[in-house]
């Protein structure tokens, strides 16, 4: 078989899957939490086919450890949450419905972390179930929920305590009044305008940081200057109309602290014309702070809502009731009025790319979001000018004015869709090249001392008789088919190339499953990744025909050398007799010259000798 060298301009395309994988890993590693692919094989075995580097911070485990053994992650699920996890996975695998779960993990360091997971299952051709999704740390949210629940429970307990205290007898009242939060008081307004406090519980010490005598002498001194006038006005109005006095206001304590108080009191006119209020005063500073924080949060939400680069809309389940500026610009509208009170399908083509009517599919997505709390999917929308565009839609259920509402986020993914199309075309070109080139393209690597084949083109079967799937499952299937005389040199060549990162070029023999012996050649340039993995990318091809031709040339050359030696020997023999003949001729010529000078008889004798010598030489040569 003829050898082929890959053209320089085609070599970068052979590295395309690695560049795509590196790009995807970089993208996945930048996403908060952990991006993963989780597989349940047909036999029920579990494995992770992909794990982003976020698992290091999330679970204190490396991606390699999780991919090597899925149970390393599953086994650290909190024992109390494990049954729900197993049930949710089994249910998702059976129904192929999206998987969502929240639970605790006990990390190797002993920390307990709340994790929220979401993914979508897809059944593979081999009947395996593959989930692709994301795991997020929700420990802080869970902690805040626990704190809010505790605060709510505490508040309810306080209210119950206060109600119970008011229902108890007068004897119990005095004892409880000194211990309940807040202040129980009687405030008296005399006909001459003097304000006094006939009774006030001990709680005033904690709130006002004043003695009772100081409170009598200057009852309005502690009230914040900005609130003093309104408190006095409401108090005198209550005295005149005998309407209950209810007011929230601020005070400045002796130490300079600012506190919010709420006073609720009912007035009665006394026999002497004075007004007596029986009431309760409660410190509502924490509640006010919480309200202000909520208002600030709502303000930030509104600011983020309006200034977000993503299109954000509020959907009450049927129509949009609000949207931000980015949504208007994305739809190329001029005002909110063009968007609000419309069903999502109105802002979409009649039919989605999968062939389903937009109205029907939109209602299905909305119903799923309300049922599960959130929903993420891709959607084709239509701008006001008629242009269709792809978005990723995230629907999240929130409480708005006492009713569930869908917080909707659109993010344009046209570039991503184009990239996916380009990637698919690129992969198709790569597979065409791999299928038609004379040789097999491969990628194998060494991970933590273990060799594995990540990719092998189908032409590998023509060379070795082993399918690409077989060697990707077990690299030893190729090692075992090496000729016994070549196996050690093959392994040594790979080891030296990986250790020194030098080009790997090797020629050897293999024995195909049918017993045929073939010569093969492998070429690659190893590289080391950031994870210290040694990766070989290269080509294998059959050189049996070339080796056969080389053997034939060697045999032909050997035969020619033997013939040349024989000719050389014959020539040497002939050349030796020629020297004898030449010597005799020279001697005879010399004698003949003498005859010419000395006599005719000797000349005739010499002449006879001359003609006899060649005959003798000829006979000797023969």
């Amino acid at each position: 078989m003829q050898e082929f060298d890959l053209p320089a301009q085609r070599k970068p395309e052979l590295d395309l899957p690695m560049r795509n994988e590196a790009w995807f890993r970089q993208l996945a590693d930048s996403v908060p939490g952990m991006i993963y692919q989780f597989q349940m094989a047909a036999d029920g075995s579990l494995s992770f086919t992909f794990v982003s580097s976020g698992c290091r911070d999330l679970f204190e485990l490396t991606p390699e450890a999780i991919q090597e053994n899925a149970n390393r992650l599953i086994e650290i699920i909190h024992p109390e949450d494990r049954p729900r996890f197993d049930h949710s996975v089994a249910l998702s695998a059976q129904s192929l419905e999206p998987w969502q779960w929240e639970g605790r993990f006990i990390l190797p360091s002993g920390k307990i972390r709340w994790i929220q997971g979401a993914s979508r299952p897809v059944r593979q051709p081999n009947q395996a179930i593959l989930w692709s999704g994301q795991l997020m740390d929700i420990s802080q949210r869970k902690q805040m929920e626990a704190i809010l629940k505790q605060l709510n429970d505490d508040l309810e307990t306080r209210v119950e305590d206060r109600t119970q205290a008011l229902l108890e007898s007068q004897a119990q009242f005095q004892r409880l009044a000194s211990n309940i939060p807040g202040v129980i008081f009687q405030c008296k307004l005399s006909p001459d305008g003097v304000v006094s406090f006939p009774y006030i519980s001990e709680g005033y010490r904690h709130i006002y940081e004043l003695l009772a005598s100081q409170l009598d002498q200057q009852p309005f001194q502690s009230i914040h200057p900005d609130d003093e006038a309104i408190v006095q006005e409401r108090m005198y109005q209550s005295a005149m109309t005998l309407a209950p006095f209810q007011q929230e206001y601020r005070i400045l304590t002796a130490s300079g602290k600012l506190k919010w108080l709420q006073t609720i009191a009912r007035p009665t006119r006394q026999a002497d014309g004075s007004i007596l209020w029986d009431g309760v005063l409660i410190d509502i500073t924490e509640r006010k702070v919480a309200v202000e924080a909520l208002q600030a949060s709502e303000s930030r939400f509104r600011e983020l809502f309006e200034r977000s680069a993503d299109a954000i809309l509020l959907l009450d389940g049927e129509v949009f009731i609000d949207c931000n500026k980015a949504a208007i610009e994305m739809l190329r509208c001029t005002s909110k009025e063009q968007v609000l009170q419309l069903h999502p399908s109105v802002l979409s083509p009649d039919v989605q790319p999968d062939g389903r009517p937009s109205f029907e599919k939109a209602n299905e997505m909305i119903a799923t979001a309300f049922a599960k709390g959130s929903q993420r999917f891709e959607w084709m929308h239509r701008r006001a000018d008629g242009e269709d565009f792809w978005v990723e839609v995230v629907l999240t259920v929130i409480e708005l004015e006492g009713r569930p509402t869908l917080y909707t986020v659109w993010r344009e993914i046209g570039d991503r869709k184009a990239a996916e199309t380009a990637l698919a075309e690129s992969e198709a070109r790569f597979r065409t090249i791999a299928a038609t080139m004379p040789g097999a393209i491969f990628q194998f690597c060494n991970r933590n001392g273990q060799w594995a084949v990540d990719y092998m083109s189908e032409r590998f079967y023509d060379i070795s008789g082993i399918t690409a799937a077989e060697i990707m499952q077990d690299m030893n299937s190729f090692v075992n088919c090496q000729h016994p005389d070549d196996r050690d040199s093959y392994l040594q060549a790979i080891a030296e190339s990986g250790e020194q990162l030098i080009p790997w070029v090797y020629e050897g023999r293999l024995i195909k499953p049918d017993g045929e012996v073939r010569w093969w050649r492998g070429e690659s340039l190893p590289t080391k990744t950031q994870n210290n993995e040694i990766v070989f990318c290269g080509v294998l091809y059959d050189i049996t025909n070339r080796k056969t031709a080389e053997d034939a040339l060697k045999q032909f050359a050997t035969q020619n050398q033997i013939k040349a030696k024989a000719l050389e020997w014959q020539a040497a023999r002939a050349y030796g007799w020629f020297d004898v003949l030449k010597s005799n001729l020279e001697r005879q010529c010399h004698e003949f010259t003498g005859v010419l000078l000395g006599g005719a008889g000797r000349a005739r004798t010499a002449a006879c000798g001359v003609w006899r010598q060649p005959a003798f030489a000829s006979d000797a040569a023969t």
Side-chain angles (χ1 to χ4, degrees), residues 11 22 28 50 56 91 143 177 204 208-209 235 265 326 368 392-393 523 545 555 570 582:
K11 290 183 179 178
F50 174 80
R56 301 179 188 272
L91 184 62
Q143 183 180 6
Y204 77 92
Y208 281 92
E209 301 176 4
M235 182 177 179
T368 302
E392 181 183 57
V393 181
E523 297 181 5
N545 291 346
Q555 185 177 1
Q570 292 177 3
K582 179 181 179 182

Side-chain angles (χ1 to χ4, degrees), residues 287-540:
R287 192 189 77 185
K288 279 291 187 179
V289 171
V291 170
E292 290 175 357
L294 179 60
Q295 291 174 345
S297 176
E298 291 177 348
S299 176
R300 288 194 297 271
F301 168 79
R302 174 54 61 177
E303 183 178 4
L304 291 173
F305 180 86
E306 294 296 343
R307 299 181 62 179
S308 173
D310 292 327
I312 301 177
L313 308 94
L314 297 179
L315 181 66
D316 72 350
E318 298 178 357
V319 295
F320 293 116
I321 58 175
D322 199 359
C323 68
N324 64 356
K325 182 179 178 182
I328 298 173
E329 293 176 348
M330 184 178 292
L331 291 168
R332 295 177 185 163
C333 296
T334 57
S335 66
K336 287 186 177 183
E337 286 68 24
Q338 294 177 267
V339 180
L340 304 187
Q341 301 305 315
L342 296 179
H343 188 275
S345 62
V346 178
L347 302 173
S348 312
D350 293 337
V351 178
Q352 287 297 302
D354 61 0
R356 296 190 60 188
S358 293
F359 181 79
E360 173 188 318
K361 187 172 182 179
N363 288 337
E364 179 183 322
M365 296 296 103
I366 292 170
T368 302
F370 275 120
K372 297 185 176 181
S374 66
Q375 177 78 326
R376 183 189 298 267
F377 54 93
E378 294 179 356
W379 189 265
M380 179 73 77
H381 271 294
R382 176 167 290 173
R383 307 186 204 274
D385 58 9
E387 178 187 351
D388 293 338
F389 64 102
W390 277 101
V391 295
E392 181 183 57
V393 181
V394 179
L395 302 178
T396 306
V397 180
I398 63 173
E399 194 77 15
L400 186 64
E401 297 180 356
R403 61 180 298 176
T405 304
L406 287 178
Y407 181 85
T408 306
V409 178
W410 293 351
R411 179 168 294 177
E412 283 203 60
I413 57 172
D415 292 342
R416 190 181 81 188
K417 282 292 186 179
E420 290 174 355
T421 301
L423 176 60
E425 294 175 352
S426 176
E427 289 179 348
R429 288 195 298 270
F430 171 77
R431 293 186 180 278
T432 301
I433 293 172
T436 57
M437 69 170 295
I441 300 172
F442 67 85
Q443 175 183 308
F444 63 86
C445 66
N446 187 315
R447 298 188 180 96
N448 300 323
Q450 299 295 323
W451 290 96
V453 178
D454 295 330
Y455 175 77
M456 180 67 73
S457 66
E458 296 298 330
R459 294 298 297 272
F460 179 69
Y461 179 80
D462 299 336
I463 299 173
S464 64
I466 302 172
T467 66
E470 289 174 336
I471 191 173
M472 285 192 285
Q473 183 177 4
D474 182 11
M475 184 174 179
N476 288 327
S477 62
F478 184 59
V479 177
N480 295 335
C481 75
Q482 297 301 309
H483 194 284
D485 296 340
D486 299 342
R487 189 172 300 167
D488 291 342
S489 62
Y490 161 69
L491 296 174
Q492 182 179 359
I494 292 179
E496 291 178 353
S497 177
E499 292 173 359
Q500 304 176 30
L501 295 181
I502 58 177
W504 175 66
V505 179
Y506 180 80
E507 294 183 358
R509 294 162 292 177
L510 59 81
I511 302 176
K512 299 176 71 173
D514 60 4
E516 181 184 4
V517 178
R518 305 292 293 180
W519 278 90
W520 65 278
R521 178 183 176 92
E523 297 181 5
S524 176
L525 180 63
T527 58
K528 180 179 288 187
T529 67
Q530 294 181 349
N531 296 328
N532 291 322
E533 297 178 357
I534 306 301
V535 179
F536 289 78
C537 299
V539 62
L540 303 175

